Amino acid sequence: MTSKTLVINSALGAVILALGAGTYLSVSAAGSTSPAASVRTVAVGKATIAAVATASGNVSPAATTVVNAQNCTGPILSVSATLGQQVSAGQQLLTIDPTNAQNALKAAQAQLDSVSAQANQQQVSAAGQVSSANQSLANAQQSANLDASQLAAAVAAAQKAVDADNAALSAAQGAPVPTPKPANWVDPVAAAQNQLTKDQQLLTQAQNQQSSTQLKDKQQVSTASTALGNAQNSAASAGGANVTSAQLAVDTAQGNLASCNLNSPVAGTITAVSATVGALTGGSGSASSGSASAGTGASGASGAAASTSSGSSSASGSGLVTISDTAHLQVVAGFSESDIANMKPDQTAQFTFPALTQDATATAVTGKVVSIAQTSSTSNGVVTYPVTVSIANPPATLRLGQSANISVTTATADNALVVPSLAVTTSGTRQSVNVVKNGATTPTKVTTGISANGRTQVLTGLSEGDQIELPAISSTLDSGTGTGSTGSGFGGAGFGGGTRAGGTRNGGQ
């Protein structure tokens, strides 16, 4: 063996020994590693915290109007409405052949003319009856007045005769009686008494006649007055009901004829057109509008569907034209039953639309909670409640039916004490955190408020700056090798900022 070969072999051996030693050390080190527990703390800080409920749904109009043929029946002559067209209230949508409506109007007008002529005749007859009744009443009143005057005179004359008889009787009673009495002498007192008796009978007869005649005349006046009232009532109602009914029929026929030119009852966007030229229409419905409704789905999602409107059947079996209020959009989404407990109308909401390009510099799309349904729906064991949320500033490219994600802020606390949620321990109804002070750890009871995004609001039990303990994390899973840690507050959007010996940990959770 040469010296050159010996040197080469020696060098190779040294390399092999070095590699073997390195492999042994690596394996030994790996086998002897044990996960040392890491104790971390963080300082209690103040921040704004908000609870947000999320769900998804589809964009729908706040109101949808289904326009039907109303009461004009016949073939469609023209259709000016087009899909996607913006229309104003009163704008013509289509026309229907008015022949049937015109014939109905002619018939109604003829009926009105007929009953009006009959009513005129009835009114003339009734007017004659009123005149006759007036004359009868006047005659009865005149007769009563004449009878009253004559009978009053007769009673007065009879009373006057009785008064004279009483005077004569008094005079006779005062006259002396002749002595001796003449053969033809008549007792003046007896004669005066006889005359008084006759005249008193005549007075009684006159008074009885007066009473009976007054009663008869009163009855005659009352009967004439009743007859006049009946005649006047007959005159007032003569043909009136029939004329009113016939006039109403004419008004209805005129309205039906006008509806042959079908106009939009509202302003909006045409979202469906089923009318076609030549198709027959018929029915008695009218255009109507209603708020949009929705069907909810599982996992907090829901789908919106425009409400249906009552009305007549049309050429397509539904509305001839559908108009949506695209100026006022909304989303109806199913929120979980736990979120509903904290939701109420007028709470603010933000929207994102997966189908639209997200522009970070654009103004956020916002809205408000409009209404919360009282009844729920259940899908796959998940209970949700439909919540209607208006869109205040919809993007120009937003379309009906597009998906929308909604975030509704249900609670907000400004300048609140907050801690990492993982630092809070719950046992039954008791909540606590471990407070670290002077190297000692003390479980401290706390009451909490809003919890969101891994943070929990603390209402009582802690003060700003208190150091609290976070759950231990194995050093093999952490980024440092030290076992001591110091908290310096919440870093960034999370609860980081805790500096550890041998390394730095971001996020703190």
Side-chain angles (χ1 to χ4, degrees), residues 55-76:
S56 61
N58 299 92
V59 178
S60 63
T64 296
T65 301
V66 178
V67 183
N68 291 309
Q70 301 185 48
N71 292 316
C72 180
T73 60
I76 296 175

mmCIF file of all heavy atoms in Angstrom, residues 55-76:
data_model
loop_
_atom_site.group_PDB
_atom_site.id
_atom_site.type_symbol
_atom_site.label_atom_id
_atom_site.label_comp_id
_atom_site.label_asym_id
_atom_site.label_seq_id
_atom_site.Cartn_x
_atom_site.Cartn_y
_atom_site.Cartn_z
ATOM 1 N N ALA A 55 -76.104 35.625 7.710
ATOM 2 C CA ALA A 55 -76.977 34.715 6.963
ATOM 3 C C ALA A 55 -76.847 35.069 5.495
ATOM 4 O O ALA A 55 -76.185 36.049 5.129
ATOM 5 C CB ALA A 55 -78.425 34.822 7.436
ATOM 6 N N SER A 56 -77.458 34.298 4.658
ATOM 7 C CA SER A 56 -77.408 34.564 3.229
ATOM 8 C C SER A 56 -78.793 34.385 2.630
ATOM 9 O O SER A 56 -79.638 33.671 3.169
ATOM 10 C CB SER A 56 -76.408 33.638 2.538
ATOM 11 O OG SER A 56 -76.789 32.278 2.711
ATOM 12 N N GLY A 57 -78.999 35.058 1.528
ATOM 13 C CA GLY A 57 -80.280 34.981 0.840
ATOM 14 C C GLY A 57 -80.123 35.464 -0.576
ATOM 15 O O GLY A 57 -79.017 35.501 -1.127
ATOM 16 N N ASN A 58 -81.214 35.867 -1.186
ATOM 17 C CA ASN A 58 -81.203 36.337 -2.561
ATOM 18 C C ASN A 58 -81.865 37.698 -2.657
ATOM 19 O O ASN A 58 -82.807 37.998 -1.926
ATOM 20 C CB ASN A 58 -81.913 35.349 -3.476
ATOM 21 C CG ASN A 58 -81.249 33.991 -3.470
ATOM 22 O OD1 ASN A 58 -81.621 33.131 -2.684
ATOM 23 N ND2 ASN A 58 -80.259 33.789 -4.302
ATOM 24 N N VAL A 59 -81.391 38.500 -3.572
ATOM 25 C CA VAL A 59 -81.912 39.851 -3.754
ATOM 26 C C VAL A 59 -83.319 39.766 -4.348
ATOM 27 O O VAL A 59 -83.562 39.014 -5.301
ATOM 28 C CB VAL A 59 -80.984 40.662 -4.680
ATOM 29 C CG1 VAL A 59 -81.560 42.056 -4.917
ATOM 30 C CG2 VAL A 59 -79.587 40.755 -4.074
ATOM 31 N N SER A 60 -84.214 40.527 -3.780
ATOM 32 C CA SER A 60 -85.593 40.556 -4.280
ATOM 33 C C SER A 60 -86.120 41.979 -4.180
ATOM 34 O O SER A 60 -85.590 42.798 -3.422
ATOM 35 C CB SER A 60 -86.493 39.619 -3.457
ATOM 36 O OG SER A 60 -86.566 40.055 -2.115
ATOM 37 N N PRO A 61 -87.157 42.311 -4.953
ATOM 38 C CA PRO A 61 -87.757 43.648 -4.837
ATOM 39 C C PRO A 61 -88.583 43.763 -3.561
ATOM 40 O O PRO A 61 -89.117 42.769 -3.056
ATOM 41 C CB PRO A 61 -88.646 43.740 -6.081
ATOM 42 C CG PRO A 61 -88.990 42.314 -6.387
ATOM 43 C CD PRO A 61 -87.795 41.499 -5.987
ATOM 44 N N ALA A 62 -88.692 44.979 -3.043
ATOM 45 C CA ALA A 62 -89.498 45.191 -1.842
ATOM 46 C C ALA A 62 -90.978 44.956 -2.127
ATOM 47 O O ALA A 62 -91.732 44.594 -1.233
ATOM 48 C CB ALA A 62 -89.277 46.605 -1.307
ATOM 49 N N ALA A 63 -91.392 45.141 -3.369
ATOM 50 C CA ALA A 63 -92.795 44.913 -3.740
ATOM 51 C C ALA A 63 -92.858 44.457 -5.178
ATOM 52 O O ALA A 63 -92.050 44.872 -6.016
ATOM 53 C CB ALA A 63 -93.632 46.174 -3.542
ATOM 54 N N THR A 64 -93.808 43.599 -5.471
ATOM 55 C CA THR A 64 -94.032 43.099 -6.828
ATOM 56 C C THR A 64 -95.515 43.229 -7.157
ATOM 57 O O THR A 64 -96.368 42.877 -6.345
ATOM 58 C CB THR A 64 -93.589 41.625 -6.946
ATOM 59 O OG1 THR A 64 -92.186 41.537 -6.722
ATOM 60 C CG2 THR A 64 -93.906 41.078 -8.320
ATOM 61 N N THR A 65 -95.794 43.757 -8.330
ATOM 62 C CA THR A 65 -97.176 43.940 -8.763
ATOM 63 C C THR A 65 -97.453 43.064 -9.970
ATOM 64 O O THR A 65 -96.724 43.120 -10.965
ATOM 65 C CB THR A 65 -97.443 45.413 -9.128
ATOM 66 O OG1 THR A 65 -97.171 46.230 -7.985
ATOM 67 C CG2 THR A 65 -98.889 45.608 -9.554
ATOM 68 N N VAL A 66 -98.483 42.248 -9.859
ATOM 69 C CA VAL A 66 -98.897 41.388 -10.970
ATOM 70 C C VAL A 66 -100.109 42.032 -11.624
ATOM 71 O O VAL A 66 -101.146 42.227 -10.989
ATOM 72 C CB VAL A 66 -99.220 39.965 -10.477
ATOM 73 C CG1 VAL A 66 -99.688 39.100 -11.635
ATOM 74 C CG2 VAL A 66 -97.997 39.354 -9.810
ATOM 75 N N VAL A 67 -99.969 42.377 -12.893
ATOM 76 C CA VAL A 67 -101.029 43.076 -13.617
ATOM 77 C C VAL A 67 -101.828 42.061 -14.423
ATOM 78 O O VAL A 67 -101.262 41.311 -15.232
ATOM 79 C CB VAL A 67 -100.442 44.156 -14.546
ATOM 80 C CG1 VAL A 67 -101.566 44.919 -15.237
ATOM 81 C CG2 VAL A 67 -99.562 45.107 -13.750
ATOM 82 N N ASN A 68 -103.138 42.045 -14.221
ATOM 83 C CA ASN A 68 -104.038 41.126 -14.913
ATOM 84 C C ASN A 68 -104.963 41.886 -15.846
ATOM 85 O O ASN A 68 -104.935 43.122 -15.924
ATOM 86 C CB ASN A 68 -104.847 40.315 -13.905
ATOM 87 C CG ASN A 68 -103.974 39.346 -13.149
ATOM 88 O OD1 ASN A 68 -103.213 38.586 -13.733
ATOM 89 N ND2 ASN A 68 -104.063 39.372 -11.822
ATOM 90 N N ALA A 69 -105.812 41.139 -16.515
ATOM 91 C CA ALA A 69 -106.699 41.737 -17.518
ATOM 92 C C ALA A 69 -107.872 42.473 -16.906
ATOM 93 O O ALA A 69 -108.652 43.081 -17.634
ATOM 94 C CB ALA A 69 -107.213 40.658 -18.463
ATOM 95 N N GLN A 70 -108.029 42.403 -15.608
ATOM 96 C CA GLN A 70 -109.163 43.020 -14.931
ATOM 97 C C GLN A 70 -110.460 42.501 -15.534
ATOM 98 O O GLN A 70 -110.643 41.304 -15.668
ATOM 99 C CB GLN A 70 -109.035 44.540 -14.966
ATOM 100 C CG GLN A 70 -107.743 45.048 -14.306
ATOM 101 C CD GLN A 70 -107.687 46.543 -14.250
ATOM 102 O OE1 GLN A 70 -108.635 47.197 -13.857
ATOM 103 N NE2 GLN A 70 -106.544 47.090 -14.636
ATOM 104 N N ASN A 71 -111.381 43.390 -15.992
ATOM 105 C CA ASN A 71 -112.687 42.932 -16.469
ATOM 106 C C ASN A 71 -112.888 43.143 -17.960
ATOM 107 O O ASN A 71 -114.019 43.138 -18.427
ATOM 108 C CB ASN A 71 -113.804 43.642 -15.698
ATOM 109 C CG ASN A 71 -113.842 43.217 -14.246
ATOM 110 O OD1 ASN A 71 -113.721 42.034 -13.956
ATOM 111 N ND2 ASN A 71 -114.001 44.160 -13.342
ATOM 112 N N CYS A 72 -111.814 43.341 -18.683
ATOM 113 C CA CYS A 72 -111.928 43.436 -20.140
ATOM 114 C C CYS A 72 -111.604 42.072 -20.737
ATOM 115 O O CYS A 72 -110.512 41.542 -20.531
ATOM 116 C CB CYS A 72 -110.967 44.492 -20.684
ATOM 117 S SG CYS A 72 -111.053 44.672 -22.488
ATOM 118 N N THR A 73 -112.557 41.480 -21.429
ATOM 119 C CA THR A 73 -112.362 40.154 -22.003
ATOM 120 C C THR A 73 -112.277 40.264 -23.525
ATOM 121 O O THR A 73 -112.997 41.051 -24.139
ATOM 122 C CB THR A 73 -113.516 39.219 -21.630
ATOM 123 O OG1 THR A 73 -114.744 39.759 -22.128
ATOM 124 C CG2 THR A 73 -113.612 39.076 -20.122
ATOM 125 N N GLY A 74 -111.367 39.482 -24.085
ATOM 126 C CA GLY A 74 -111.200 39.492 -25.528
ATOM 127 C C GLY A 74 -109.761 39.218 -25.902
ATOM 128 O O GLY A 74 -108.892 39.062 -25.045
ATOM 129 N N PRO A 75 -109.472 39.173 -27.197
ATOM 130 C CA PRO A 75 -108.099 38.914 -27.632
ATOM 131 C C PRO A 75 -107.205 40.142 -27.432
ATOM 132 O O PRO A 75 -107.670 41.274 -27.517
ATOM 133 C CB PRO A 75 -108.262 38.583 -29.120
ATOM 134 C CG PRO A 75 -109.529 39.274 -29.524
ATOM 135 C CD PRO A 75 -110.419 39.222 -28.331
ATOM 136 N N ILE A 76 -105.939 39.877 -27.139
ATOM 137 C CA ILE A 76 -104.963 40.953 -26.984
ATOM 138 C C ILE A 76 -104.615 41.501 -28.359
ATOM 139 O O ILE A 76 -104.265 40.747 -29.275
ATOM 140 C CB ILE A 76 -103.707 40.437 -26.268
ATOM 141 C CG1 ILE A 76 -104.061 39.991 -24.853
ATOM 142 C CG2 ILE A 76 -102.631 41.508 -26.227
ATOM 143 C CD1 ILE A 76 -102.898 39.350 -24.110
#
